[in-house]
Amino acid sequence: GINAEYGKQWYQRRVRGNFSHCVRYTTNQDAEGDFLRHCTEGERHGRDGGRRRLIDCQRKKNEYYYITREEVQSVSDSGKHCILDDASIYTVDQLEKAGLHPIIILVKCKSSHEIRSVRNCTAEQAARAISKANKLEHDHLSKFTAIVSGTNCDELFKSINSVINLHKESLWLPIR
């Protein structure tokens, strides 16, 4: 993601009242954070209702991290936008199936220099991020509400906030 510490500071200064992360559950016993809750594998299976209620599930280093429909709905019901960073196209599909119509923004930097100015990564990781963004745009363009770019964090966050403000009152449903 975008430089986490800078993003956190920007978020706290400018948009704190309008946005929130939802609780992400994990089987990682060492997990800590405001929006991270530990659960056992058995609790995970009970909580996800046989995967019917999962919006997002990722496996990282033999640990699961997942978000349920209820957690996203809870943030939405509080009148805030729920931030799901690193969401996949599968996640978008699950949100739509659950009747939660997301604002999907692809953050796309034009060069590895731009990526490295907003994200702590190697040149190789930056090149992979550009390739991944290009593939997402090519394969799933119709899923995105907007594609934003910028040369620094301030530009990116302003663009993201502008897109959200433009679409927060609208509900656009794709015709398939």
Side-chain angles (χ1 to χ4, degrees):
I2 295 173
N3 182 313
E5 189 55 38
Y6 182 87
K8 184 177 178 182
Q9 290 170 5
W10 187 91
Y11 170 82
Q12 289 172 345
R13 286 193 322 260
R14 297 203 173 102
V15 294
R16 171 184 28 219
N18 299 323
F19 301 88
S20 180
H21 285 85
C22 63
V23 172
R24 186 177 294 259
Y25 294 94
T26 179
T27 56
N28 182 349
Q29 293 181 5
D30 299 324
E32 293 181 20
D34 292 340
F35 299 101
L36 206 52
R37 303 288 183 272
H38 174 260
C39 66
T40 66
E41 188 70 21
E43 289 172 324
R44 181 180 78 84
H45 286 294
R47 190 179 307 278
D48 73 21
R51 298 185 63 90
R52 289 186 308 271
R53 294 175 18 210
L54 289 184
I55 293 295
D56 183 60
C57 185
Q58 298 176 13
R59 185 175 176 180
K60 298 177 184 175
K61 298 182 182 177
N62 295 325
E63 302 290 349
Y64 289 96
Y65 294 83
Y66 66 99
I67 297 172
T68 64
R69 178 177 54 236
E70 290 79 11
E71 294 298 336
V72 175
Q73 187 67 55
S74 174
V75 172
S76 180
D77 289 347
S78 74
K80 295 183 180 189
H81 292 283
C82 184
I83 298 171
L84 299 177
D85 44 359
D86 293 329
S88 68
I89 294 300
Y90 171 80
T91 303
V92 173
D93 291 339
Q94 292 303 107
L95 288 165
E96 289 173 348
K97 284 179 187 175
L100 302 167
H101 303 286
I103 298 171
I104 307 300
I105 302 170
L106 176 62
V107 176
K108 185 178 173 190
C109 293
K110 296 176 182 153
S111 70
S112 53
H113 175 73
E114 281 183 18
I115 288 178
R116 295 181 78 193
S117 73
V118 297
R119 188 176 180 181
N120 185 18
C121 65
T122 66
E124 184 179 309
Q125 290 169 324
R128 279 197 309 263
I130 290 172
S131 177
K132 182 179 178 181
N134 288 335
K135 181 165 177 38
L136 281 169
E137 181 180 20
H138 179 267
D139 294 349
H140 305 285
L141 182 61
S142 65
K143 294 280 186 189
F144 296 105
T145 307
I147 298 171
V148 300
S149 62
T151 58
N152 61 51
C153 286
D154 274 328
E155 283 182 23
L156 284 172
F157 285 119
K158 286 176 185 174
S159 295
I160 291 167
N161 202 33
S162 176
V163 169
I164 291 170
N165 284 332
L166 181 65
H167 292 279
K168 68 181 176 185
E169 299 298 325
S170 303
L171 179 60
W172 296 89
L173 300 175
I175 298 175
R176 298 192 201 274

